[in-house]
């Protein structure tokens, strides 16, 4: 069967939910710590004196996160790699040729899985120092803003503290930048990094298995809601590995010995992936190309679903639902929580309207927060 990054998409949830739990736990800890004794004239002094207690609580959350995430990442990468291999086995077995026997041969996987898992563990653990620093900075900032505001006669300490906490909750822990320079908050960054790594594991396992069976060419599917980075590669034939660049190659017919056929290749799979194909959320897949047998894709069918831009709007609305749920968790009183929950319902209503108008499936799990432990 063909392979694509979404073959392992669900596995990323086990990792990203751990970071979401940690983020929500930290929001709740900061909120409770600041709300206690808020009306006392010595509130600022008491809160600053308790900074060490908050740091110890954050360290405890991070220690548990590190232990849980390392195991979850190792399991997720192993599962993703296995799914990629099995997809290749199914695809090769359906050929009913000698390649099916090659597909059944065991390939060493431990080294590849360990390498991929170690890289992802390193990338996620690099966020932990930022988590600690960001949480303590927010705590200090709220104290400073809430202490100075009444002196200016602008508002009350409670209102100022609530606004500062709400900004923190909506944004989450921020400051994470990917290789393209795009900024992320903690949970979104970990989800993106994990889904990307697991997608790579599944695709690599698939191509490793095809290589062992002597398959050198693959073909990219057509897909709905394609993005501008992927569109140039739709329906194109690629080298499984090797040199970049387009050209015509002479290869042996898939079933007729000594018969050569000309095949126009658009480049290599690594080249296409480096230019954006098979990114997280990519809907394309790659499958075996059999010279002389595989038929090129026909004219693109009329769209039955939404555009890429509409699918991205849905993702934006889902993020807003989650952000306002975090704001509700940071509410210091019932009024603040009710206001945030009203925003949640409003954004959910916009999602219902969008999915009804476009035919996009509603993915309610992407609107949920994983509760802190």
């Amino acid at each position: 069967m063909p392979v694509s990054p979404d073959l392992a998409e669900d596995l990323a949830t086990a990792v990203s939910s751990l970071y979401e739990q940690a983020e929500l736990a930290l929001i709740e800890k900061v909120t409770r710590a600041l709300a206690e004794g808020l009306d006392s004239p010595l509130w600022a002094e008491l809160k600053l004196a308790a900074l060490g207690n908050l740091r110890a609580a954050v360290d405890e959350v991070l220690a548990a996160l590190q232990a849980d995430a390392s195991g979850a990442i190792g399991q997720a990468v192993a599962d993703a790699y296995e799914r990629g291999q099995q997809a290749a086995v199914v695809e090769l077995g359906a050929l009913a040729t000698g390649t099916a026997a090659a597909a059944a041969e065991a390939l060493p996987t431990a080294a590849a899985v360990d390498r991929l898992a170690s890289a992802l563990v390193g990338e996620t653990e690099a966020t932990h120092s930022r988590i600690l620093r960001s949480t303590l900075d927010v705590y200090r900032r709220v104290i400073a803003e809430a202490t100075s505001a009444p002196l200016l006669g602008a508002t009350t300490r409670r209102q100022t503290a609530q606004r500062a906490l709400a900004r923190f909750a909506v944004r989450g822990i921020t400051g994470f930048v990917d290789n393209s320079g795009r900024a992320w908050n903690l949970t979104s960054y970990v989800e993106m990094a994990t889904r990307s790594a697991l997608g790579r594991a599944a695709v690599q396992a698939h191509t490793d298995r095809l290589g062992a069976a002597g398959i050198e060419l693959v073909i990219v599917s057509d897909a709905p809601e394609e993005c501008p980075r992927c569109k140039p590669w739709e329906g194109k034939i690629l080298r499984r590995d090797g040199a970049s660049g387009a050209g015509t190659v002479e290869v042996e017919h898939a079933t007729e010995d000594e018969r050569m056929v000309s095949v126009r290749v658009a480049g290599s799979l690594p080249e296409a992936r480096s230019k954006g194909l098979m990114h997280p959320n990519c809907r394309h897949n790659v499958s075996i190309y059999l010279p002389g047998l595989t038929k090129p894709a026909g004219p693109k069918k009329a769209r039955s679903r939404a555009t890429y831009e509409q699918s991205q709007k849905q993702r934006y609305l889902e993020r807003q639902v989650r952000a306002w749920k975090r704001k509700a968790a940071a509410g210091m009183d019932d009024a603040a929580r009710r206001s945030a929950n009203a925003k949640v319902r409003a954004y959910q209503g916009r999602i219902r309207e969008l999915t009804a108008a476009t035919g996009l499936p509603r993915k309610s799990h992407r609107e949920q927060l994983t509760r802190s432990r």
Side-chain angles (χ1 to χ4, degrees):
M1 59 184 280
V3 69
S4 71
D6 65 7
L7 186 66
E9 181 178 350
D10 60 304
L11 298 174
T13 303
V15 178
S16 62
S17 65
L18 291 173
Y19 280 82
E20 187 172 67
Q21 289 175 36
E23 185 175 39
L24 191 56
L26 294 174
I27 290 171
E28 292 172 345
K29 285 180 183 295
V30 170
T31 301
R32 287 197 301 268
L34 291 170
E36 186 177 358
L38 189 59
D39 298 322
S40 169
L42 299 175
W43 175 78
E45 291 83 353
L46 292 171
K47 296 300 103 176
L48 288 173
L51 185 60
N53 294 336
L54 177 63
R55 177 167 187 144
V58 175
D59 285 339
E60 185 178 352
V61 171
L62 291 178
L65 176 62
Q66 183 169 336
D68 291 347
S70 295
I73 286 172
Q75 187 61 56
V77 171
D79 289 346
Y81 199 89
E82 178 61 21
R83 288 184 184 182
Q85 287 214 87
Q86 289 305 312
V89 169
V90 171
E91 195 172 10
L92 288 164
L95 301 181
T97 67
T99 54
E105 295 179 3
L107 287 179
T109 62
V113 169
D114 288 347
R115 183 176 63 255
L116 292 165
S118 294
L120 182 55
V121 167
E123 188 169 1
T124 54
E125 286 187 354
T127 67
H128 294 188
S129 61
R130 174 68 186 176
I131 294 170
L132 173 62
R133 184 169 64 254
S134 179
T135 304
L136 298 182
D137 285 350
V138 166
Y139 181 83
R140 294 189 189 95
R141 191 181 311 125
V142 173
I143 295 171
E145 291 183 19
T147 303
S148 63
L151 298 177
L152 302 174
T155 186
T156 68
R157 179 189 296 165
R158 181 176 295 276
Q159 289 170 330
T160 305
Q162 179 63 77
R163 279 203 299 270
L165 277 172
R167 289 197 302 270
F168 172 48
V170 169
R171 293 195 309 264
I173 298 172
T174 59
F176 305 99
V177 180
D178 63 20
N179 293 333
S180 64
R182 182 180 176 186
W184 303 77
N185 67 18
L186 171 66
T187 302
S188 296
Y189 177 80
V190 170
E191 181 184 19
M192 177 276 297
T194 303
R195 291 174 63 195
S196 180
L198 297 184
R200 286 196 302 269
V203 173
Q204 180 178 327
H206 184 269
T207 55
D208 286 350
R209 179 70 72 168
L210 296 188
I215 300 295
E216 295 301 329
L217 299 178
V218 295
I219 187 168
V220 181
S221 69
D222 189 359
E225 303 152 38
E226 76 279 15
C227 76
R229 290 182 296 167
C230 297
K231 190 172 183 178
W233 302 101
E234 284 194 331
K236 297 297 174 59
I237 302 164
L238 302 173
R239 301 178 188 88
R240 179 187 56 80
D241 202 356
S244 301
T248 300
V249 296
E250 293 292 320
V251 292
E252 190 174 34
H253 192 281
T255 58
E256 299 179 24
D257 293 343
E258 299 183 2
R259 178 187 168 187
M260 304 303 288
V261 294
S262 297
V263 177
R264 176 70 180 176
V265 298
S268 69
L269 181 57
E271 175 191 5
R273 294 178 67 186
S274 72
K275 294 181 179 179
L277 180 66
M278 312 207 88
H279 57 80
N281 298 327
C282 183
R283 298 180 181 277
H284 294 87
N285 60 55
V286 295
S287 56
I288 294 173
Y289 178 81
L290 299 176
L293 294 182
T294 304
K295 301 297 182 183
K300 195 175 184 69
K301 296 180 180 178
R303 292 187 181 277
S304 59
R305 296 206 328 189
T307 64
Y308 173 74
E309 289 73 20
Q310 288 170 325
S311 71
Q312 293 307 293
K313 181 178 180 181
Q314 181 181 5
R315 296 287 288 183
Y316 164 78
L317 295 174
E318 291 163 350
R319 289 194 297 272
Q320 294 305 305
V321 169
R322 293 159 68 90
W324 283 98
K325 285 183 176 182
R326 288 197 302 271
K327 187 172 180 179
M332 283 186 161
D333 52 44
D334 289 341
R337 288 187 284 271
R338 282 196 299 271
S339 176
N341 284 326
K343 285 285 191 178
V344 170
R345 292 190 293 273
Y347 277 108
Q348 288 175 328
R350 291 176 63 181
I351 292 174
R352 285 193 295 271
E353 292 173 0
L354 178 66
T355 54
T358 63
L360 284 167
R362 185 173 179 183
K363 299 184 178 181
S364 298
H365 67 279
R366 296 203 308 220
E367 304 167 29
Q368 304 304 316
L369 287 182
T370 305
R371 298 302 302 177
S372 62
R373 292 177 297 174

